[in-house]
Amino acid sequence: MVFLNHGSFGACQKYLLDKQNQYRMQMESQPLKFFIRDADELLYNSKKRLGDFIGANPDNMVFVDNATTAVNIVMKSFPFKEGDRILITNQIYPACRNSVYRIAEERKLFIDEVLIPDIINSEEDVLDEILKYVKSNTVFSLIDHISSLPGVIFPVQQIINRLKEKGIIVMIDGAHAPGMIPLDLNELNPPFYTGNCHKWMCTPKGSAFLNVREDFQEIVKPLVTSRRYGEISMNLSEFQYDFSRQGLKI
């Protein structure tokens, strides 16, 4: 079998699996040294290389298992108030839709789901349709960069800019974007952006990132409260330190 379904999981190259096994053996040979002395530097180096590829500051990135995890982190950290509205589209990934509706149920929020036209003649068609659903109490929007079904590249730069004018915080779900299209997150500059590396970048499974703009890092907390919560690091920001060690999953 030749595996080609990169929209779910990319076919990881053998040399990357070999490299992964090298790190695994390094960890198992001296676990305390690996987790306590080596891990932070190794993680930062990986974020630096990823940041070079997607145009992002490594200090704004943390690694997560997948884009759905990142969506949950942001949604559960965001300071919603009862009666706030969340804007999504009908092309949202089903797992992310579930996350949005669960949060809305728990926090007593409203959801507006934009119906994207079947026939799209221009980027303005998408932007105009999204803006029709904006209401006075819309505070947050979760928009795909590239939807999974059907595969539509959303004009996320225009969406971010127009919703920012209306005071709406935007998270971009870029699960399919890294490795498929050029990215420059520093230029795009959304409050929140997540992407998977195990699709079109063909990394080992469970490789994803969450990029959080500096002015929102204070509110974002990991799903798991773990060893480093509340501690102060001499080398890492609180945002980086909280996410740097989640039990044995660093």
Side-chain angles (χ1 to χ4, degrees):
M1 177 179 288
V2 178
F3 186 81
L4 297 176
N5 184 12
H6 288 240
S8 294
F9 319 100
C12 189
Q13 296 94 330
K14 290 181 179 179
Y15 82 91
L16 286 179
L17 295 175
D18 291 340
K19 190 67 176 178
Q20 186 184 39
N21 284 330
Q22 289 177 23
Y23 283 123
R24 185 176 291 112
M25 293 308 298
Q26 179 181 343
M27 175 185 68
E28 294 294 350
S29 64
Q30 292 194 56
L32 282 175
K33 178 179 182 296
F34 183 86
F35 285 111
I36 295 175
R37 299 181 184 178
D38 300 338
D40 287 338
E41 182 178 358
L42 291 171
L43 286 169
Y44 182 82
N45 290 340
S46 294
K47 282 185 280 191
K48 179 67 169 61
R49 292 292 299 274
L50 177 60
D52 292 342
F53 183 68
I54 62 173
N57 183 343
D59 293 331
N60 295 340
M61 281 195 297
V62 293
F63 286 123
V64 293
D65 293 336
N66 54 61
T68 304
T69 302
V71 168
N72 275 270
I73 288 169
V74 172
M75 297 290 294
K76 292 181 180 181
S77 297
F78 196 81
F80 290 109
K81 296 180 294 184
E82 183 176 337
D84 285 343
R85 306 191 82 93
I86 301 172
L87 183 67
I88 61 175
T89 80
N90 63 333
Q91 293 189 11
I92 189 173
Y93 186 64
C96 294
R97 175 187 277 110
N98 292 342
S99 301
V100 170
Y101 274 85
R102 176 68 180 272
I103 292 292
E105 180 182 359
E106 292 175 349
R107 306 275 189 93
K108 298 181 180 179
L109 312 174
F110 298 100
I111 299 170
D112 295 299
E113 189 165 325
V114 179
L115 299 178
I116 300 298
D118 293 332
I119 298 175
I120 301 172
N121 296 311
S122 67
E123 293 181 342
E124 285 69 27
D125 289 349
V126 175
L127 182 60
D128 291 344
E129 201 63 32
I130 288 174
L131 293 175
K132 288 179 185 177
Y133 285 75
V134 172
K135 296 181 172 59
S136 60
N137 54 341
T138 304
V139 300
F140 189 92
S141 181
L142 176 61
I143 302 291
D144 288 78
H145 199 155
I146 304 174
S147 59
S148 57
L149 287 173
V152 174
I153 301 176
F154 279 67
V156 292
Q157 185 70 82
Q158 296 95 312
I159 293 171
I160 292 167
N161 293 343
R162 291 297 300 275
L163 293 185
K164 180 181 179 181
E165 293 173 0
K166 298 180 178 296
I168 299 170
I169 305 304
V170 180
M171 180 174 189
I172 301 298
D173 178 3
H176 293 270
M180 182 188 284
I181 60 175
L183 283 177
D184 189 337
L185 298 191
N186 290 330
E187 181 178 350
L188 197 62
N189 201 32
F192 309 103
Y193 190 103
T194 183
N196 286 325
C197 302
H198 53 243
K199 293 182 183 290
W200 303 98
M201 288 178 64
C202 304
T203 68
K205 310 304 179 283
S207 304
F209 66 89
L210 170 62
N211 192 83
V212 180
R213 208 169 64 197
E214 293 92 331
D215 51 332
F216 285 94
Q217 289 177 11
E218 185 178 350
I219 70 169
V220 176
K221 303 299 179 185
L223 295 177
V224 176
T225 301
S226 191
R227 172 68 178 83
R228 287 181 164 178
Y229 179 78
E231 295 182 353
I232 297 176
S233 169
M234 300 299 293
N235 303 313
L236 299 173
S237 67
E238 181 180 350
F239 169 67
Q240 288 289 338
Y241 201 57
D242 279 353
F243 281 89
S244 62
R245 192 182 300 170
Q246 299 285 292
L248 286 178
K249 294 194 71 175
I250 60 174

